[in-house]
């Protein structure tokens, strides 16, 4: 499902993305339940500060081989980090929604983490398939 940037929950996800440690594609997630943000997460880790990205070295395309690089591992994705934030604070995510800013899809490991956490729906920013796609000429990220 898609929502506009003016959505207060998409704004919360965008705010979470500002804490991203992946400066190439900052991504943020906000988990919402009963009309309130109950957890957030931003992608990335400090791993790439001192280690090269194995996926880049192997010329692996976007969306593939995350498990091959510690810095790109799905545990470092904003969706998984938002679920971990909720878990760390003992917040019940059953039936909650997740708002994702900075991407136009979720990888399989993130879907699995969200499903296990009871996340009901995922909301993406309207136009995200262009805005956050490096291959699209209308993207707002670093060009591919």
């Amino acid at each position: 499902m898609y929502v506009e940037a003016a959505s207060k929950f998409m704004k919360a996800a965008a705010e979470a993305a500002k804490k991203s440690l992946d400066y190439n594609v900052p991504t943020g997630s906000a988990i919402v339940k009963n009309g309130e943000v109950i957890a957030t997460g931003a992608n990335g880790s400090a791993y790439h500060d001192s280690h090269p990205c194995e996926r880049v070295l192997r010329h692996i395309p976007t969306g593939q081989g995350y498990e091959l690089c510690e810095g790109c591992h799905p545990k470092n994705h904003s969706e998984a980090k938002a679920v971990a934030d909720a878990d760390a604070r003992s917040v019940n995510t059953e039936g909650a929604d997740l708002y994702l800013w900075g991407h136009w899809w979720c990888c399989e490991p993130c879907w699995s983490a969200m499903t296990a956490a009871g996340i009901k729906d995922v909301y993406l920013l309207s136009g995200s398939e262009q805005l956050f796609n490096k291959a699209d000429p209308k993207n707002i990220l670093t060009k591919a």
Side-chain angles (χ1 to χ4, degrees), residues 42 44-45 69-81 84 109-110:
S45 75
C69 178
E70 178 62 26
C72 298
H73 194 280
K75 70 182 178 189
N76 294 319
H77 294 184
S78 71
E79 305 95 324
K81 285 189 166 184
C110 286

Side-chain angles (χ1 to χ4, degrees), residues 10 12-22 25-31 39-45 66 71-86 97-107 109-111 113-114 119 122-124:
M10 189 55 71
E15 191 63 30
K18 292 178 181 177
K19 298 174 185 166
S20 176
L21 294 175
D22 182 346
V25 185
T27 305
S29 292
I31 298 177
T40 61
N43 68 323
S45 75
Y66 292 129
C72 298
H73 194 280
K75 70 182 178 189
N76 294 319
H77 294 184
S78 71
E79 305 95 324
K81 285 189 166 184
V83 169
D85 179 43
D97 297 322
L98 185 136
Y99 288 73
L100 177 62
W101 190 96
H103 230 312
W104 74 98
W105 54 275
C106 301
C107 68
C110 286
W111 276 113
M114 291 185 294
I119 301 295
V122 174
Y123 292 89
L124 305 172

